[in-house]
């Protein structure tokens, strides 16, 4: 057996006093400090046939024609798409192939020929009709296929050079601090393992890392296990393609299905979603806590005052401060100008990046280590206090004995079904990890935690597991200015308009790198290419709503979550108001063209256009929506009939099982949830520590 755990209790007195470990201490070949291997994606999936390559090439050529200096898409793009499809989970690749065929055959009833058989101009007409259709199904099909085609086409250094952008950062050399000796790369373990600890923490995002730190600080023997890899600064080169492949769950392809298709993004790495977020830090408003106390009977500790000590500790750990004006880029002053002319309250966002240098790629891993995501804050601090970490370990089940959580069973070496990297021999049986513990903390996030608990037979008594999903729906407006914006420079989310925060509407910066911006525009044909050539003059700003709609997470294909979510009319109206307000802000700031990205409303370039937008009866399917903060699928509450966990985060129906992540949050917060998840997890860890010590 090979394992990189240091079990010398003389070096770790906290573990000697309080905890128990079992296992061997022989170092894995290559050591715990070796970087994760970077093999192919989920194993070889379906490839494109010759016919499908022609279809993809014909579609790409019509959707992304050549411009004045940007090259057009075509056969080479289709070839790269085939290679990309072989790297993603097979069920996702099969779905994309089906969408490709649906678009190919869609013109047959009207034009008597499939798309690939039409002349170029006719193909452009067909795609334009799809793009402008009020039918969500047509636009969703087009988006499903064009998203990877566009990303692949624009993910080339020469494309970035054409618009004056940096393509990639140089790779930095990683440091090797002492605490890395307590990290075991599960991909390097060759034999089954059996370990014992006092507390097993599953997941290292906002909740799991904070809980592990608190428990380790109190002297408990803590083992963290993480499904993803531990990416160091050498992994953060600013390339979205690499980040989506290695740090996002399911390559960033998870979608909420309902009356609008909504991408739902979550991290899959040590640090979880904190590695790939923008670093925004808010305390939840008192109005939210008051609704918990009044509507759910939650105790008085759930208040701004009650959680203040925990928030303060989080803010010290993350070094929260307003965004540096030097690194706001051009969009901050533009939004300030527009907001001031409209009389709206605005200002710099609070962030967790004290030494930020404005690289502009926070959502793909901070290359300078300035962002205090948990991989550089809570996780190392937990390791310094005696905790251990095993990466690339996918938990199969929580082991429950006589109604009490007693550990977990995991598979080491990644999992192709979850979008991970498969071993070189995909048929080789992967090592199994069995952990015995006195308590288990689950922190897999609102999408994965309910799936794990369901597989384990836990938290089922109320019937609420997987339900009550809120996703903090977000959208954006883009605008062209005469002045250069260069939105790839500066903090991508550093400025805010919080004038309508009490109404559940928050406006926050949303600058996009060139290849990501290429995905955000729903147009096709020549006008699409013309707009992308104007990228240096393009500004983006976004908003999020405190949603009242609720969805559900169920087990999906290949071990992935099936996310169901229908947006109600109240939230649609709030989204429409957000779009209208941003249009007004950009117009007041002097935009040349304003692009609201609403189906059937391409541009708002003056008061008359704005009035027409306000008069429209917008449907959910007309909106371009994304989601970044799923919450609530294993919520806390005082009533076991309507909640999965008690106010202490312990499961109602399984003793010793705690949930400390976004799934435990009982309702939408209306703000970025990472600090609230951390604060509530610190509190839960305190309560668990008292029970273990009693």
């Amino acid at each position: 057996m090979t394992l990189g755990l240091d079990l010398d209790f003389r070096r770790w007195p906290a573990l000697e006093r309080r905890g128990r470990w079992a296992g061997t201490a022989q170092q894995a070949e290559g050591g715990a400090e070796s970087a994760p291997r970077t093999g192919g994606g989920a194993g070889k999936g379906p490839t494109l046939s010759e016919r499908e390559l022609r279809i993809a090439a014909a579609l790409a050529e019509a959707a992304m024609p050549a411009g004045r200096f940007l090259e057009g898409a075509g056969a080479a793009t289709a070839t790269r798409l085939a290679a990309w499809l072989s790297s993603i989970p097979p069920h996702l690749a099969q779905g994309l192939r089906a969408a490709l065929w649906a678009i190919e055959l869609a013109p047959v009833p009207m034009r008597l020929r499939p798309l690939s058989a039409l002349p170029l101009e006719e193909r452009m007409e067909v795609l334009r009709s799809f793009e402008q259709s009020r039918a969500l199904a047509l636009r969703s099909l087009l988006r499903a296929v064009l998203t990877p085609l566009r990303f692949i086409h624009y993910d080339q250094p020469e494309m970035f050079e054409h618009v004056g952008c940096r393509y990639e950062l140089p790779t930095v050399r990683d440091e090797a601090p002492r605490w890395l000796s307590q990290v075991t790369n599960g991909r390097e373990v060759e034999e089954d393992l059996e370990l014992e600890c006092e507390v097993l923490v599953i997941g290292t995002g906002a909740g799991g890392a904070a809980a592990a730190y608190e428990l380790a600080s109190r002297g408990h023997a803590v083992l963290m296990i993480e499904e993803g890899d531990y990416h160091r600064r050498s992994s953060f080169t600013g390339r979205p393609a690499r980040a989506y492949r290695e740090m996002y769950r399911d390559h960033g392809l998870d979608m909420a299905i309902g009356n609008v298709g909504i991408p739902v993004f979550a991290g899959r790495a040590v640090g979880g979603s904190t590695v790939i977020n923008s670093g925004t830090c808010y305390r939840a408003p008192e109005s939210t806590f008051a609704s918990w106390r009044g509507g759910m009977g939650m105790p008085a500790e759930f208040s701004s005052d009650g959680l203040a000590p925990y928030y303060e500790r989080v803010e010290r750990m993350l070094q929260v401060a307003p965004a540096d004006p030097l690194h706001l880029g051009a969009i901050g002053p533009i939004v300030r100008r527009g907001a001031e002319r409209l009389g709206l309250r605005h200002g710099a966002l609070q962030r967790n990046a004290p030494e930020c240098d404005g690289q502009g790629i926070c959502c793909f891993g901070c290359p300078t280590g300035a962002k205090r995501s948990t991989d550089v804050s809570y996780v190392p601090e937990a390791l310094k206090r005696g905790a251990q970490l095993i990466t690339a370990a996918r938990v199969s089940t929580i082991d429950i004995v006589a109604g009490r959580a007693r550990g977990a069973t995991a598979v080491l070496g990644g999992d192709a079904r979850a979008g991970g990297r498969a071993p070189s021999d995909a048929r080789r049986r992967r090592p199994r990890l069995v952990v015995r513990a006195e308590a288990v903390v689950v922190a897999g996030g609102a999408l994965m935690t309910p799936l794990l608990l369901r597989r384990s037979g836990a938290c089922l008594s109320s019937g609420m597991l997987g339900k009550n999903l809120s996703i903090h729906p977000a959208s954006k407006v883009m605008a062209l200015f005469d002045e250069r914006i260069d939105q790839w420079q500066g903090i991508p989310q550093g400025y805010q308009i919080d004038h309508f925060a009490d109404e559940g509407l928050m406006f926050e910066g949303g600058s996009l790198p060139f290849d990501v911006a290429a995905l955000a525009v729903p147009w096709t044909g020549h006008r699409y290419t013309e707009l992308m050539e104007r990228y240096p003059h393009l500004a983006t700003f976004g908003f999020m709503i405190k949603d009242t709609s609720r969805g559900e997470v169920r087990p999906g294909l290949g071990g992935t979550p099936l996310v169901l979510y229908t947006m109600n009319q109240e939230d649609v109206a709030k989204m429409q108001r957000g779009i209208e307000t941003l249009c007004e802000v950009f117009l007041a700031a002097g935009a040349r063209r304003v692009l609201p990205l609403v189906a059937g409303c391409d541009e708002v370039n003056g008061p008359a256009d704005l009035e027409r937008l306000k008069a429209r009866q917008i449907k959910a399917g007309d909106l371009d929506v994304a989601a970044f903060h799923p919450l609530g699928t294993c919520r806390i509450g005082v009533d076991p009939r309507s909640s999965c966990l008690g106010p202490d985060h312990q499961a109602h129906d399984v003793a010793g099982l705690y949930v400390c992540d976004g799934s435990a949050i009982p309702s939408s917060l209306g703000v970025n949830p990472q600090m609230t998840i951390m604060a509530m997890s610190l509190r839960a860890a305190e309560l668990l520590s008292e029970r273990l010590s009693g």
Side-chain angles (χ1 to χ4, degrees), residues 47 116 196 201 255 482 489 604 649 668:
T47 57
S116 62
E196 290 186 4
V201 178
M255 293 281 293
D482 290 332
Q489 294 181 326
V604 173
H649 291 246
S668 177

Side-chain angles (χ1 to χ4, degrees), residues 133-311:
S133 175
R134 295 293 296 272
L136 175 61
L138 280 177
R139 296 199 321 279
S140 297
L141 276 174
L142 188 63
R143 180 177 183 175
V145 176
L146 286 187
T147 293
L149 278 171
R150 284 174 168 170
F151 198 76
I152 288 164
H153 179 62
Y154 284 98
D155 183 26
Q156 303 177 67
E158 56 269 25
M159 301 293 274
F160 281 66
E161 292 172 7
H162 287 321
V163 293
C165 296
R166 176 194 63 218
Y167 176 74
E168 187 172 27
L169 295 173
T171 301
V172 300
R173 178 178 296 179
D174 292 324
E175 298 177 350
R178 180 182 176 189
W179 49 260
L180 267 182
S181 65
Q182 292 164 249
V183 179
T184 297
N185 184 348
R187 301 185 188 281
E188 298 174 347
V189 176
E190 299 176 351
E191 298 180 11
D192 291 349
L193 302 179
E194 290 191 13
L195 302 174
E196 290 186 4
C197 63
E198 198 169 5
V199 184
L200 171 64
V201 178
I202 302 169
T204 56
Y213 162 79
E214 184 65 23
L215 290 162
S217 298
R218 291 168 175 264
H220 299 286
V222 176
L223 172 63
M224 298 177 281
I225 58 178
E226 166 59 51
E227 183 182 358
D229 293 304
Y230 203 154
H231 296 281
R232 311 293 307 288
R233 284 180 59 192
S234 61
S235 296
F236 304 145
T237 60
R239 295 305 314 126
R242 178 176 182 178
Y244 286 135
R245 181 178 68 248
E246 298 183 355
M247 304 170 206
Y248 280 68
R249 181 162 299 283
D250 294 322
H251 295 242
L253 296 175
D254 284 331
M255 293 281 293
I257 302 170
N259 57 353
V260 56
I262 305 175
V264 184
F265 297 103
R268 184 173 179 270
V270 173
S273 295
T274 71
V275 175
I276 58 164
N277 70 17
S278 294
T280 302
C281 292
Y282 287 103
R283 296 190 185 193
E286 173 56 30
S287 58
T288 296
F289 295 130
S291 71
W292 296 358
R293 298 192 305 274
M296 301 170 54
M298 294 289 283
E301 297 96 302
F302 290 95
S303 64
S304 295
D305 289 340
L307 287 177
Y310 302 102
Y311 274 125

